[in-house]
Amino acid sequence: MLLIHCPYCEEDRSELEFRWAGEAHIARPENIAAISDEEFAEYFFLRNNEKGLTYERWRHIHGCGRFFNAARDTVSDRFLTTYKAGLPKQVLPETGASEKTVETYEATEGDAR
Ligand SMILES: [Zn+2]
């Protein structure tokens, strides 16, 4: 059984309690009404879907209900770390990931509290 660490409950819980919620750290455009259709399509529909290290949103749907972020290796399906929503992208030195541009996730109205 895959265990996922919820950074709010501070417990490792069964994967059955969680739901994947897409790519993390996607910044909403400042003035979304002013962007082109192509820019909107890129923001709204296109995701990186990279092999290896990915940053994802997860929700502890059958626990505290809160959204959080996770760094996961899509090849091994191993969670490298989880961290609270709103925190910057976590740099993972052991994976060689060195994000120089750090985007912060802005909480939206749909986030559970
Ligand atoms: Zn939780």
Side-chain angles (χ1 to χ4, degrees):
M1 174 188 310
L2 178 63
L3 296 176
I4 300 173
H5 181 81
C6 176
Y8 295 102
C9 297
E10 297 184 352
E11 289 181 50
D12 294 341
R13 304 292 302 172
S14 166
E15 65 180 302
L16 300 175
E17 295 185 8
F18 296 87
R19 182 172 294 161
W20 182 80
E23 188 175 322
H25 303 289
I26 296 174
R28 183 182 170 95
E30 292 279 329
N31 185 358
I32 200 163
I35 65 175
S36 69
D37 289 348
E38 291 78 19
E39 290 169 326
F40 180 79
E42 184 172 331
Y43 154 71
F44 199 76
F45 296 111
L46 299 181
R47 298 297 176 253
N48 290 327
N49 196 24
E50 293 180 19
K51 180 179 181 182
L53 175 63
T54 61
Y55 290 88
E56 303 170 322
R57 295 180 73 207
W58 284 77
R59 186 173 184 198
H60 195 181
I61 192 90
H62 296 294
C64 63
R66 299 185 76 171
F67 284 90
F68 60 92
N69 294 327
R72 186 172 65 92
D73 185 333
T74 59
V75 176
S76 65
D77 199 23
R78 185 170 153 249
F79 281 76
L80 304 171
T81 189
T82 59
Y83 51 99
K84 294 178 179 178
L87 293 177
K89 190 180 281 188
Q90 304 294 294
V91 176
L92 304 169
E94 68 274 7
T95 64
S98 58
E99 304 289 335
K100 292 188 176 179
T101 303
V102 176
E103 300 171 41
T104 56
Y105 166 74
E106 298 294 328
T108 59
E109 290 179 21
D111 288 356
R113 294 288 171 205

